Structures are given as structure tokens and as C-alpha cells.
Amino acid sequence: MTWWCTGIRWKDGRPAIGWYGDGRGERVSELVYGQRIAFAARGERHCLGVWRAGKRTPCPTAETVPSRTGNAQCPGCARLDRSFSVAADTNAADPRTYRVYLAWFGPGMVKVGITAEERGPARLLEQGAVAWAWLGRGPLMATRRTEELLRAALGVPDRIAYTRKRAVRAHLPGAPDRAREVAELHARAAALPGWPESLERVDCEVADHAGAFGLDALTGPPGPDRVLSEMVPGGSVVGRLVGAAGPDLHLADGLVVDARLLAGWELTAPGEEAVTEVPTTQIPPADAGAPAAQDGLF
């Protein structure tokens, strides 16, 4: 029985690695900061199919996917996935309640987004938001209109590249300064006219994920050639996990593993035989583009 990695999952505010076994459903391996992790890629990277309504539909043709892409889906499954996507505005009839949020990743790096209310802060953890606050709640289209209004009026982007987030993550200002920047932007957003009447405003309560991410253990940004750029057959990663933020796993030796690149691989414990070193890439400068160790597979 093969278990395919599905990347990082944030379970109850803690990081975990997800797995999918055809006919056996999904499972997770929870991660603990301070533990030693070790894994090697076997075979080829495969499409993970489509995940919808809490159920995964396998790829009908079991396609392989490129090793450098962040999405472990073949073009056909990706198109099907987007046809039911809130982010792609192809599921406007979704009856669930949604929330609008402010997410802070570093000085001057703030975005506005929406997420289903039932997911709580999971979306903020998945994106690596260090500080954040809710702005409002209501029907999907009302939150979408509010999101677009605030982006334009506040001059904030719809997304921030992970390379920029990684570059500043280890030397952020303190929690009071983070909270102050979020609160100031929340006040500016609340004062804007044009909010949809069907959207319920939410008072500012800034939350902080520095503890959940283990940011205090990060001593500096990743050094040259210390960011995983792809997995390859036989490629291995071994090290002590000290933190995680969004899809990134931070190891004690400075290596950053983008867990999106693990999705679609069968990962095994490294054997005695020689293995290939995983390719890494240098992280750009910060201003570019604006307990005891445990052995085993995760």
C-alpha cells in the first residue's frame, strides 16, 4: 500500500504532514518542533487528483507532474478543481458564511483576503500570516466585494510571494509593533464608505502566530542555496525541525523545505545506500520584489 504525501496541513493550530492512500483515505503525521525528520523521495511525483467536500477523487489517468511546481495536479485535475473554486470565482452559489481578514507577514507586507468561517484561522496559518485580524463576515459575494473594495482603497495586494515572507520571517518587529500596524490598517478599513449592507463588521482583535510558527527559534533568513527548489527520485532531507510557517518547514541547519514540493511523492525513510542531495536555490534579499530529538520519517 502506497501513501502519497499531500503536503503540510495545519491541524488545531499545529503543523502536520498529510498523506493519501488510495482506498484508505487521508491521514496526518503531526510535527513537533525539536524533532529530527528524515525522508527520501521514491519513484515519480504523481497527481493527487481533486479534493472537494472533504473527499479526494483520484486522478483518472494517474498522471505524473513536474517536480518544481507547487501544485501536485495534472492540468485536467487542476481545471476541474478550479471549476468549483471560490478563489477563481467559479462557485458563487456557495451558501456558507465567509469572513474578510487582514493578514500581516512583515513590515509593509499586508494583504486582504476571505475564507470560509467554518475554517477559522486555518487559512491564515496556511499562508504564513504572523499577525492578523477579522474585518467582517457575511455571504460569499458580500465578502468578495468587500475584499476588492479594501484592496483598492488601502493599496494592498491580493497575494505576497513566499520568497518575500521567508526573507523577513526571522527578524520581525515585536508583537506590539505587529499588532499596532494591523490595528491601524483595520481602523482605516473600517472608516471606508461603500461596505455592503449584508456584511457584518467585526471589531479589531489582533491575533499572533509567532508561537505557533516557532519563530523565536529562527536565527536568521535562509543562507545562500538553502531553500528547497524541488524533490528528485532518491533525494533526501534530514534535519531537526525548529519551526514552520505556511507551507515552509524550517530546519536547524538553515534549510527551508517548501512542503508544497513534497506533495505527490511517496516519501520513505532514507536507507543505507547513497542518496541524491535535494536541489536548493538561493533566497532573494528581503527587499527583492518589494525538546529532545526524535528519529524517523516525520
Side-chain angles (χ1 to χ4, degrees):
M1 175 67 193
T2 299
W3 287 92
W4 304 100
C5 180
T6 59
I8 197 169
R9 298 288 179 268
W10 285 91
K11 178 180 172 61
D12 299 325
R14 297 186 297 274
I17 293 294
W19 307 94
Y20 169 68
D22 191 11
R24 300 183 70 176
E26 311 271 336
R27 73 176 187 184
V28 297
S29 300
E30 293 192 10
L31 298 172
V32 177
Y33 299 148
Q35 75 178 151
R36 180 180 181 272
I37 61 175
F39 55 86
R42 174 185 291 175
E44 296 180 294
R45 190 186 190 198
H46 287 267
C47 173
L48 290 173
V50 177
W51 175 262
R52 188 185 311 135
K55 182 179 180 181
R56 189 177 302 278
T57 300
C59 177
T61 55
E63 293 284 338
T64 58
V65 294
S67 59
R68 284 180 174 268
T69 180
N71 184 25
Q73 287 181 308
C74 67
C77 287
R79 283 193 298 270
L80 182 59
D81 208 19
R82 286 185 66 82
S83 69
F84 291 89
S85 170
V86 169
D89 286 331
T90 54
N91 193 19
D94 191 328
R96 295 177 296 174
T97 297
Y98 277 77
R99 287 200 172 215
V100 188
Y101 61 79
L102 278 173
W104 185 95
F105 303 94
M109 286 192 286
V110 182
K111 63 160 286 187
V112 177
I114 67 172
T115 185
E117 185 172 69
E118 64 192 37
R119 298 199 68 213
R123 182 62 179 150
L124 286 306
L125 291 161
E126 292 166 355
Q127 293 184 72
V130 180
W132 59 277
W134 300 123
L135 284 162
R137 60 186 298 273
L140 171 59
M141 297 314 294
T143 57
R144 177 65 83 196
R145 288 195 299 272
T146 304
E147 177 188 32
E148 294 171 353
L149 165 71
L150 298 180
R151 283 177 183 169
L154 300 177
V156 296
D158 60 348
R159 64 185 61 198
I160 297 172
Y162 281 109
T163 52
R164 294 187 63 204
K165 300 175 189 178
R166 293 176 190 131
V168 302
R169 191 174 288 153
H171 47 80
L172 295 171
D177 292 330
R178 300 195 291 261
R180 182 167 51 253
E181 187 171 343
V182 174
E184 289 173 353
L185 201 57
H186 190 287
R188 287 177 55 197
L192 291 171
W195 286 55
E197 293 183 1
S198 58
L199 194 85
E200 176 187 342
R201 306 290 189 97
V202 175
D203 293 337
C204 183
E205 293 185 16
V206 181
D208 199 280
H209 283 157
F213 292 158
L215 297 188
D216 287 346
L218 306 187
T219 57
D225 301 323
R226 298 303 291 159
V227 181
L228 181 72
S229 59
E230 67 176 321
M231 287 296 290
V232 294
S236 69
V237 171
V238 178
R240 183 170 60 87
L241 182 70
V242 295
D248 295 337
L249 305 177
H250 289 264
L251 304 187
D253 64 357
L255 181 68
V256 177
V257 178
D258 184 341
R260 295 175 300 175
L261 300 175
L262 306 182
W265 286 99
E266 179 187 5
L267 300 180
T268 64
E272 297 294 332
E273 71 279 3
V275 293
T276 306
E277 292 185 2
V278 294
T280 55
T281 187
Q282 184 173 357
I283 194 169
D287 58 353
Q294 301 173 8
D295 291 337
L297 176 63
F298 294 107

